[in-house]
Amino acid sequence: MEKDYTLAGQVAVITGAGRGIGAAIARKLSKLGATSILCGRTRAALESTAQGIADSGGKAEAVVCDVSSLQSVEAAAGHVEDSFGRLDILVNNAGIGGFGGPLHQLPPDAWDQILNTNLRGIFYTTRAFAPMMIRARAGHIINISSLAGKNALPNGAAYAASKWGLNGVSYSLAEELRGHNIRVSVICPGSTNTELGPHAGKDHSKMLQPDDVAHAVAMLVTQSPQSFVSEILLRPTQKP
């Protein structure tokens, strides 16, 4: 694999990096020369992604981390600081779906699980990792949201709520951190060919692919420092 050293020397943390969109982002950032720290709950999946990156000449490390646990996230942040002393890119990708039916039939524990992972997790990672960027007066935080954070999603109201909330957090966080020279962006993909959502009856070849989202992340972290794109709405060219 031919490498581009645009991000040489930089350290990137990607949550939910064991598979799907997170793994694609980790591979892309590593190809650009960054060291990718792969965070997720399943060590085997993380190590598989890390090995694939290493086999292609990139640098990656697996760190087991549950973003719904502040203690787990703080431990991961401490490891990054102790091992690398810096963090240049944080990609908040970890998330779970929730498409089981109408809201009035959703069990309360399912609501809690979706919101704690998809929204509270971003609060935890920001709280734990942003101080490293603030001290360095540099960095980029990218939150992977969804077009479900822009549109109605019947039978997925909790998931939509988490993504609408994530968008609001992202816009507000961007204003809070601009003075520290930290750029915050949100990417809202449409239907993407992963295990996360229901794709019955859709043509997977027409859907967005994980690499499409990774490409958008690469665009954001390589743009000129005097500007930033606050939001990307990513749609498939042909409706699947």
Side-chain angles (χ1 to χ4, degrees):
M1 178 178 67
E2 184 179 351
K3 290 185 68 177
D4 178 337
Y5 293 95
T6 305
L7 302 179
Q10 295 194 29
V11 176
V13 165
I14 306 98
T15 68
R19 57 179 61 87
I21 291 172
I25 292 169
R27 289 191 295 268
K28 184 67 172 180
L29 296 181
S30 295
K31 186 177 180 181
L32 291 172
T35 297
S36 291
I37 310 302
L38 317 179
C39 294
R41 292 180 295 182
T42 307
R43 178 172 294 278
L46 297 172
E47 290 183 343
S48 176
T49 301
Q51 187 60 55
I53 289 171
D55 290 345
S56 298
K59 297 178 181 179
E61 180 179 340
V63 176
V64 175
C65 175
D66 180 354
V67 297
S68 68
S69 164
L70 180 58
Q71 182 179 9
S72 180
V73 173
E74 288 179 336
H79 172 75
V80 171
E81 181 147 28
D82 292 343
S83 299
F84 301 96
R86 65 185 293 168
L87 179 63
D88 304 277
I89 300 165
L90 170 62
V91 182
N92 287 308
N93 167 74
I96 58 175
F99 313 100
L103 185 64
H104 70 274
Q105 295 178 355
L106 185 74
D109 60 343
W111 169 276
D112 290 342
Q113 184 182 27
I114 294 166
L115 271 293
N116 285 347
T117 300
N118 295 3
L119 188 54
R120 185 189 293 265
I122 274 68
F123 164 51
Y124 287 166
T125 58
T126 300
R127 191 176 189 277
F129 286 104
M132 275 187 273
M133 295 181 174
I134 291 171
R135 288 195 295 271
R137 290 195 55 78
H140 205 143
I141 298 173
I142 299 173
N143 296 328
I144 307 300
S145 183
S146 169
L147 288 181
K150 294 286 186 179
N151 305 312
L153 184 64
N155 298 317
Y159 179 79
S162 72
K163 295 303 186 179
W164 281 75
L166 174 55
N167 290 351
V169 165
S170 300
Y171 309 144
S172 300
L173 184 61
E175 293 305 311
E176 293 174 1
L177 296 181
R178 285 175 77 178
H180 298 286
N181 199 38
I182 298 167
R183 304 186 291 188
V184 180
S185 306
V186 61
I187 300 175
C188 299
S191 296
T192 307
N193 187 20
T194 69
E195 300 172 2
L196 179 65
H199 304 309
K202 292 190 175 182
D203 184 342
H204 290 198
S205 67
K206 293 182 179 179
M207 296 172 67
L208 295 174
Q209 303 301 314
D211 283 342
D212 296 322
V213 184
H215 176 73
V217 171
M219 289 166 51
L220 293 174
V221 299
T222 57
Q223 69 190 103
S224 298
Q226 75 275 4
S227 65
F228 77 101
V229 176
S230 61
E231 179 182 74
I232 291 178
L233 306 184
L234 190 61
R235 307 175 190 274
T237 303
Q238 300 293 323
K239 288 189 176 183

